[in-house]
Structure formats: C-alpha cells, structure tokens
Amino acid sequence: MNNELNIPKHIGIIVDGNGRWATERGLPRSMGHKVGAENLKKICLYLDELGVKYLSVYVFSTENFKRDNKEVDFLMDLFVKMFKTEFDEIIKRGIKVVFSGRRDRLRKEVLGAMDYLEEATSKNKGSCLNICLNYGGQSEIVDMTKKVCQMYKDGEITLDDIDVDFVSKNLYQDLPPVDFLIRTSGELRLSNFLLYQASYAELYFPKTYFPDFKEEDVLKAIEEFNKRERRFGGNK
Ligand code: IPE
Ligand code: IPE
Ligand code: MG
C-alpha cells in the first residue's frame, strides 16, 4: 500500500507534548520524556522502513536550558542512556546518526554519548538520522555566518561563492531541504527549528502528544503530505 505513497525525502519532527502527556495522567513530566524517548526510537525505525532518507528530530532546543535544573538533568541523563544502550537496533539497521546543535553547555557524558553514537554509525550507508540537541535555528545561522566569514578572511572563498546552496552546505549538517515538518501536541509554531532548511516544508500540526504519536499516525501524516500541492513559488 505504501508503494502508492510519495514518501518525503526529508522529514522534520518537533517532538512536543511529553510534559502535558504526563501531567494529564498525574505523572511527573519526566515520565512523559521517558515514554516519548521510547516512542521516538520506534518512530525513527518505522520511518526508515517506509523509506524516508533523512529524518531530523528536535529533542532539545537551546532555549530548553531555561527549564528547571531537575528537568534539564533528567533529559541529559535520558539522552546518555538512550544513545549508549537503546540505539542498538538503529546502529544495526544501518542508519547513520549525526547531531546538529552547539556543544557548549552540554556535560561531557552527554558529548561522549553523542560522539559514541556518531562514531558507531559513521560507516553506515542507510538513512540519516539528524538529532537536533542543544539546537537553535538562529544560533545555527549565526554559527554558519561566523564560519563563512572566517573562510572569506582566510581567502578560501570570494563573495561570489556565497549562494543559497553554499549557505546550506555550511550549516551544522549538509542535508537536503525539509519536505515535511511535523509538530505534535497542537502548538502552531516552529520554536527555532530548522529555520533555513524548512523554507518550503509542508507543515503538519497533529493535536496528539508525542508519546501517543504512533506508526498509524505517521502514516496518516504522510497521507496528508500526499494531498498537498507543492509549488515552490511557481504557478502550478
Ligand atoms: C517536548 O515535550 C520535549 C522537549 C522539549 C525536550 P515538552 O517537555 O515540551 O512537553 P510540553 O510541551 O510541556 O507538554
Ligand atoms: C520545542 O518545544 C523544542 C523541542 C521540542 C525540543 P518547546 O516545548 O520547548 O517549545 P515552546 O516553548 O512551546 O515554544
Ligand atoms: Mg513543549
């Protein structure tokens, strides 16, 4: 059945609603993150099965450091545990994991777990999972600007080298544009996710909280994507 569907090449997911999912069940927010993380792993594997070549997931924004220390610490510990012990199937499946975001402010255990996962999957030839952690779209554009200015200063490039593709290649990861952007939990905003890459993405905002966002919801989302008419500024 899926053969009939046009599968987006690059999907972005803003994993949202973990806290509300837990609160509505009388549970601590941390439980929402735990169940959300387990679900995220399943969704990554499912999208790989469907043939999605690039998947970007937003798991921690630069702004999420504003949260209580307790919640931030829980999330960081959860990332370490997930990357070190829960990603075996992702590694075996041949998925290549990369990270987008700033490394500053992250504890060395977190950086170690990220490096481990990148290294363990660096030779994988399958789909690409881009984990956006301590990521902000504005910071990414700032960091790209500094990098490109340095290249110019060092005489490696001229002003004419700088165009849309060049900028894209000099972001945290050199990935194709986002075709389909999903944000769970019903919030209608981007919250600083892939601002450059999502210029022509189709947007989809299901009301479901992320821990309840299952394979059948993913399929429904892709069916919705198939109904969209993409124009890229053209007239048909
Ligand atoms: C998303 O869930 C996970 C992270 C931001 C790390 P939230 O924690 O934002 O959940 P809500 O939006 O408060 O329900
Ligand atoms: C965006 O969600 C960041 C992630 C999902 C990682 P938030 O829950 O932090 O966004 P706001 O605060 O509702 O905009
Ligand atoms: Mg939220």
Side-chain angles (χ1 to χ4, degrees):
M1 181 187 68
N2 302 338
N3 294 343
E4 299 156 21
L5 283 176
N6 170 24
I7 301 294
K9 185 170 176 185
H10 187 172
I11 293 185
I13 303 182
I14 303 176
V15 170
D16 200 17
N18 291 348
R20 279 164 284 168
W21 181 90
T23 305
E24 286 182 12
R25 284 164 177 72
L27 299 168
R29 290 176 60 84
S30 56
M31 270 310 285
H33 294 314
K34 191 166 173 287
V35 178
E38 281 156 18
N39 191 47
L40 182 61
K41 195 179 77 178
K42 285 196 200 132
I43 296 299
C44 292
L45 289 166
Y46 183 61
L47 285 170
D48 175 65
E49 262 168 51
L50 286 182
V52 173
K53 295 272 180 286
Y54 299 89
L55 172 63
S56 292
V57 292
Y58 201 11
V59 299
F60 195 88
S61 70
T62 45
E63 291 73 27
N64 286 149
F65 274 112
K66 290 180 195 161
R67 296 187 182 194
D68 296 348
N69 286 344
K70 202 173 131 236
E71 183 167 347
V72 172
D73 286 346
F74 181 89
L75 281 164
M76 294 299 154
D77 291 344
L78 182 62
F79 295 142
V80 173
K81 182 167 170 281
M82 292 296 295
F83 302 157
K84 285 221 146 150
T85 63
E86 308 278 327
F87 269 50
D88 289 358
E89 212 175 328
I90 294 207
I91 300 172
K92 271 194 237 124
R93 188 70 82 78
I95 297 173
K96 186 183 169 81
V97 179
V98 296
F99 286 89
S100 289
R102 284 189 176 167
R103 288 173 70 91
D104 68 340
R105 304 189 73 182
L106 295 177
R107 281 193 274 117
K108 71 172 189 318
E109 292 79 12
V110 181
L111 294 172
M114 290 162 65
D115 292 345
Y116 158 75
L117 191 55
E118 260 189 350
E119 175 59 30
T121 63
S122 64
K123 297 203 168 58
N124 282 355
K125 297 274 182 280
S127 67
C128 173
L129 172 62
N130 174 34
I131 303 179
C132 300
L133 199 168
N134 194 17
Y135 173 87
Q138 291 176 328
S139 304
E140 180 173 41
I141 292 169
V142 169
D143 291 349
M144 175 276 301
T145 306
K146 287 185 181 168
K147 183 171 148 192
V148 169
C149 285
Q150 190 64 50
M151 289 160 92
Y152 178 71
K153 203 170 143 211
D154 293 344
E156 291 168 20
I157 55 166
T158 67
L159 288 183
D160 287 340
D161 289 320
I162 304 171
D163 60 13
V164 168
D165 285 341
F166 183 84
V167 167
S168 176
K169 282 189 172 23
N170 284 286
L171 295 170
Y172 292 135
Q173 299 294 337
D174 177 12
L175 303 176
V178 176
D179 299 298
F180 191 37
L181 196 157
I182 302 170
R183 179 177 189 149
T184 55
S185 91
E187 303 297 351
L188 306 179
R189 53 179 173 265
L190 296 180
S191 301
N192 212 1
F193 187 48
L194 302 179
L195 300 181
Y196 192 85
Q197 300 87 332
S199 311
Y200 268 100
E202 293 296 327
L203 309 178
Y204 182 67
F205 299 106
K207 291 208 164 56
T208 323
Y209 295 144
F210 190 75
D212 285 333
F213 192 70
K214 302 293 174 193
E215 282 90 340
E216 58 268 27
D217 302 299
V218 171
L219 209 51
K220 226 167 47 185
I222 295 180
E223 279 163 8
E224 168 64 26
F225 175 80
N226 276 253
K227 292 185 195 140
R228 304 284 177 92
E229 188 196 349
R230 304 186 78 191
R231 295 192 187 156
F232 302 97
N235 60 3
K236 63 174 170 62

